C-alpha cells in the first residue's frame, strides 16, 4: 500500500497503521484498553516466524481483554545478553473535534502516519515487532534472547500490564537489558536517549476548619478559605533548582549561547534564565528540580453548609535520590507557618529511577545512532513516567530509545504525545528501524546489517 506517491510502505509502517486502527483507548477504567485486539494484530504479524518454530509467544490476560503479548526468540548462548523490547499497546483518549483526520484511521498521507498513539508509542512497538520477526527469520540464530514485551495499561499506570506481569509471570519477563520509549528527539545536534525518569510522590493536604450554617458565617471558619491560603503559599514558594550531571549534559547539548548556558548551570540564576529557552523551558524547569502541582481541590458537600474539611491533592515529581522523608521535609519548608494547620497524607507513588550511561547497551545505542544519523547522543531525564522504570526497579538497565528525523525537536515530540492530530513521519520510523537493527545485531546477534 502507498500514500498516493507511489512509495511502498514497510512492514513496520503497515503494522503501525493496523495497530492505530484497533483503537485500544485506555481511560483508566478496568475494562477499557481491550489490548487483546492489538495482541491479535501482532500474532498475525508474527505468525510466519511462529509457524517456523522461531518465536515462542505467550498471551497473558490480567483481566478480560487486558492482554499483553510476550514473544521470545531464543538465543544459542545462555551467557549472552537477553534484550527486551518494551512497548505498550494502549493509547490515551481523544477529542475527535480537535482532529483534522480520523484519529483511528491510520492514514498515510504525504509521508506521515496519522492516528492516536502514532508517536506514543505505537511506532516503536511496531518497529520492535518488525525487527523481532526479522531476527527470528534470519539464517543464523542470535547468540542471546530477543524479547518483545508488548504490554497493556501503560497509560493508566500499568497495574493491568507490566506490574501484573512482573508479579505473576516473572519468567516470561526475564531480560537482562531493555529498550523502551521516550528517546530519539533532537537536542541541538544531539539525539536524546532517556536514561532516567522522575519519581512520583503524591500527597493529599488535609485542612480543617469550623463548620456552620452558610447563612450565619460569623463564628465559623471555612476550610475553603484555608485551602486558599495554602494554595497561595504553594504558589509563592517553589522548590529550588538542583542541577545534576544530566542537567549539565542537557545544557551542553541544547544551549548554543555560552552566556545563557553559564546562567543555566548556576542554581541561583537558573530561574531567571528559563524564559529565554522558548518552548523547551517547561521541560527544563521540570527536570532541574522537584515539582509540586496542585491538581484536585475539594471542600464542602452542599451549598448551605460551611465546610469543615478541605483537601488539596498534589502531583509531586521527584529527582533521583529523593526519599519520602525528603518530600515531607520539603513540604514543611514550603508551607512554612501553615504546616501546623495541615495534615499530610501519602498517596500512591514511586521512586525516581536511572540507568547508567556506562552500560554496554547504552554504548551500542551511541554507536547505532552515530552510524545511522551521524549524530552524538545525550542522556536525558524524562519528566514523566513509563514502564521502563519497573525494569529499572528490578535492576535491569533500560533506556528510552528512538531515532526521529532531524526536524523532531523535543518541543515537536511533546506536541505529538497526547495531542491533537498526532502523527509520525515514515522517515522517523525507518531511522528508528535502522538504528534498532544495529543495536540488536551488536547485543544479541543473528541479524546481518550491511
Amino acid at each position: 500500500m502507498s500514500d498516493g506517491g507511489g512509495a511502498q510502505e514497510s512492514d513496520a509502517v503497515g503494522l503501525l497503521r493496523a495497530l492505530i486502527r484497533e483503537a485500544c483507548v485506555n481511560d483508566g477504567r478496568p475494562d477499557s484498553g481491550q489490548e487483546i485486539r492489538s495482541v491479535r494484530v501482532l500474532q498475525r504479524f508474527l505468525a510466519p516466524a511462529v509457524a517456523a518454530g522461531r518465536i515462542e509467544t505467550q498471551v497473558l490476560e490480567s483481566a478480560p481483554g487486558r492482554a499483553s503479548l510476550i514473544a521470545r526468540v531464543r538465543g544459542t548462548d545462555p551467557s549472552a545478553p537477553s534484550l527486551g523490547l518494551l512497548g505498550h499497546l494502549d493509547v490515551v483518549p481523544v477529542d475527535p473535534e480537535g482532529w483534522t483526520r480520523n484519529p483511528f484511521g491510520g492514514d498515510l498521507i504525504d509521508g506521515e502516519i496519522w492516528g492516536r498513539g502514532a508517536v506514543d508509542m505505537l511506532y516503536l512497538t511496531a518497529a520492535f515487532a518488525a525487527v523481532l520477526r526479522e531476527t527470528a527469520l534470519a539464517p543464523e540464530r542470535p547468540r542471546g534472547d530477543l524479547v518483545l514485551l508488548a504490554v497493556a495499561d501503560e497509560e493508566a499506570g500499568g497495574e493491568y500490564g507490566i506490574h501484573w506481569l512482573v508479579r505473576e509471570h516473572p519468567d516470561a519477563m526475564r531480560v537482562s537489558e531493555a529498550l523502551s520509549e521516550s528517546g530519539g528527539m533532537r537536542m541541538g545536534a544531539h539525539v536524546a536517549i532517556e536514561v532516567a525518569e522522575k519519581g512520583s510522590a503524591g500527597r493529599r493536604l488535609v485542612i480543617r476548619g469550623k463548620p456552620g450554617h452558610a447563612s450565619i458565617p460569623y463564628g465559623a471558619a471555612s476550610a475553603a478559605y484555608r485551602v486558599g491560603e495554602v494554595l497561595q503559599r504553594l504558589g509563592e514558594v517553589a522548590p529550588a533548582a538542583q542541577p545534576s550531571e544530566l542537567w549539565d549534559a542537557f545544557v551542553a547539548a541544547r544551549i548554543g549561547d555560552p552566556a545563557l548556558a553559564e546562567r543555566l548551570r548556576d542554581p541561583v540564576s537558573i530561574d531567571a534564565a528559563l524564559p529565554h529557552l522558548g518552548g523547551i523551558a517547561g521541560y527544563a524547569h521540570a527536570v532541574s528540580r522537584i515539582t509540586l502541582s496542585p491538581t484536585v481541590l475539594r471542600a464542602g458537600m452542599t451549598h448551605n453548609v460551611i465546610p469543615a474539611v478541605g483537601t488539596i491533592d498534589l502531583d509531586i515529581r521527584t529527582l533521583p535520590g529523593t526519599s519520602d522523608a525528603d518530600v515531607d521535609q520539603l513540604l514543611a519548608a514550603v508551607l512554612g507557618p501553615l504546616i501546623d494547620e495541615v495534615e499530610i497524607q501519602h498517596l500512591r507513588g514511586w521512586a525516581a529511577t536511572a540507568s547508567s550511561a556506562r552500560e554496554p547497551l547504552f554504548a551500542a545505542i551511541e554507536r547505532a545512532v552515530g552510524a545511522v544519523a551521524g549524530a552524538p547522543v545525550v542522556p536525558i531525564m524524562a519528566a514523566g513516567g513509563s514502564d521502563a522504570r519497573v525494569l529499572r526497579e528490578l535492576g535491569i538497565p533500560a533506556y528510552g530509545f528512538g531515532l526521529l528525523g532531524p526536524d523532531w525537536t523535543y518541543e515537536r515530540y511533546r506536541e505529538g504525545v497526547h495531542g491533537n492530530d498526532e502523527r509520525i513521519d515514515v522517515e522517523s520510523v525507518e531511522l528508528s528501524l535502522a538504528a534498532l537493527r544495529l543495536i540488536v545485531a551488536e547485543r544479541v546477534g543473528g541479524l546481518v546489517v550491511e
Side-chain angles (χ1 to χ4, degrees):
M1 298 180 66
S2 71
D3 64 355
Q8 192 75 15
E9 71 180 29
S10 68
D11 289 342
V13 169
L15 179 57
L16 168 57
R17 298 177 70 191
L19 292 172
I20 290 171
R21 290 172 183 145
E22 293 305 322
C24 294
V25 176
N26 186 354
D27 62 11
R29 294 178 298 172
D31 61 348
S32 68
Q34 292 300 299
E35 294 90 347
I36 187 64
R37 299 195 297 267
S38 285
V39 166
R40 299 303 184 212
V41 171
L42 289 172
Q43 285 182 302
R44 291 192 291 272
F45 181 81
L46 298 174
V50 173
R54 301 292 189 90
I55 295 180
E56 303 169 9
T57 62
Q58 294 176 271
V59 178
L60 303 170
E61 273 187 292
S62 57
R66 306 308 304 271
S68 299
L69 175 72
I70 312 300
R72 184 179 295 266
V73 178
R74 295 279 180 184
T76 59
D77 182 358
S79 66
S82 178
L83 176 59
L85 306 175
L86 175 60
H88 63 81
L89 301 173
D90 59 324
V91 301
V92 296
V94 301
D95 175 8
E97 293 184 0
W99 284 67
T100 306
R101 299 187 178 276
N102 178 0
F104 301 109
D107 296 329
L108 175 55
I109 305 295
D110 295 331
E112 294 181 320
I113 305 98
W114 289 62
R116 173 57 87 221
V119 177
D120 181 19
M121 65 170 289
L122 296 181
Y123 92 93
L124 272 177
T125 302
F128 289 164
V131 172
L132 181 90
R133 190 174 74 171
E134 290 174 14
T135 303
L137 295 175
E140 293 188 14
R141 287 178 59 191
R143 299 184 311 278
D145 287 7
L146 184 64
V147 190
L148 173 65
L149 309 169
V151 304
D153 199 37
E154 189 275 344
E155 295 291 2
E159 290 303 318
Y160 292 92
I162 194 166
H163 288 289
W164 180 81
L165 288 164
V166 299
R167 184 173 64 249
E168 302 294 334
H169 299 277
D171 288 343
M173 298 292 288
R174 180 177 48 79
V175 296
S176 61
E177 57 191 27
L179 301 176
S180 192
E181 62 181 325
S182 301
M185 63 288 291
R186 303 300 177 112
M187 291 281 190
H190 293 67
V191 173
I193 299 297
E194 184 228 284
V195 302
E197 297 178 7
K198 294 185 76 176
S200 177
R203 296 291 189 272
R204 176 167 293 158
L205 306 183
V206 182
I207 303 102
R208 305 187 188 279
K210 182 181 178 181
H213 198 288
S215 66
I216 307 177
Y218 184 82
S222 175
Y225 285 131
R226 295 191 173 183
V227 165
E229 293 172 0
V230 172
L231 286 173
Q232 183 175 2
R233 181 74 182 184
L234 289 170
E236 292 174 347
V237 183
Q242 298 175 257
S244 65
E245 184 178 346
L246 289 178
W247 174 256
D248 287 342
F250 159 74
V251 171
R254 181 60 195 258
I255 308 304
D257 180 348
L260 179 58
E262 188 63 27
R263 292 174 65 194
L264 288 167
R265 291 191 176 97
D266 183 348
V268 176
S269 59
I270 284 179
D271 287 352
L274 287 176
H276 299 281
L277 299 186
I280 206 167
Y283 169 80
H285 176 272
V287 298
S288 62
R289 72 202 66 213
I290 299 171
T291 57
L292 310 175
S293 299
T295 53
V296 181
L297 311 178
R298 300 181 184 90
M301 298 294 290
T302 186
H303 80 285
N304 62 349
V305 177
I306 292 173
V309 179
T311 62
I312 303 170
D313 287 359
L314 295 176
D315 182 299
I316 302 176
R317 300 299 172 121
T318 60
L319 297 171
T322 306
S323 68
D324 270 343
D326 294 333
V327 172
D328 289 338
Q329 289 174 9
L330 174 64
L331 272 176
V334 169
L335 293 173
L338 300 178
I339 186 62
D340 293 336
E341 303 175 28
V342 177
E343 175 190 349
I344 299 174
Q345 298 178 352
H346 288 216
L347 304 179
R348 180 172 175 267
W350 54 87
T353 61
S355 296
S356 171
R358 297 175 180 84
E359 292 284 345
L361 178 56
F362 189 85
I365 296 170
E366 286 185 297
R367 285 188 282 271
V369 170
V372 173
V377 307
V378 56
I380 65 164
M381 182 189 306
S386 76
D387 281 343
R389 66 179 172 82
V390 180
L391 298 184
R392 292 192 189 111
E393 288 168 354
L394 296 173
I396 299 168
Y399 302 99
F401 172 70
L403 180 52
L404 302 174
D407 295 332
W408 278 84
T409 61
Y410 179 86
E411 296 93 314
R412 180 179 175 185
Y413 174 80
R414 290 307 312 174
E415 288 175 1
V417 174
H418 299 186
N420 291 333
D421 283 347
E422 183 179 354
R423 59 196 186 273
I424 194 163
D425 57 295
V426 171
E427 179 187 15
S428 292
V429 177
E430 298 301 331
L431 286 170
S432 297
L433 276 168
L436 180 59
R437 291 185 182 110
L438 291 173
I439 295 166
V440 169
E442 177 175 338
R443 296 303 299 149
V444 300
L447 280 176
V448 177
V449 184
E450 297 180 356

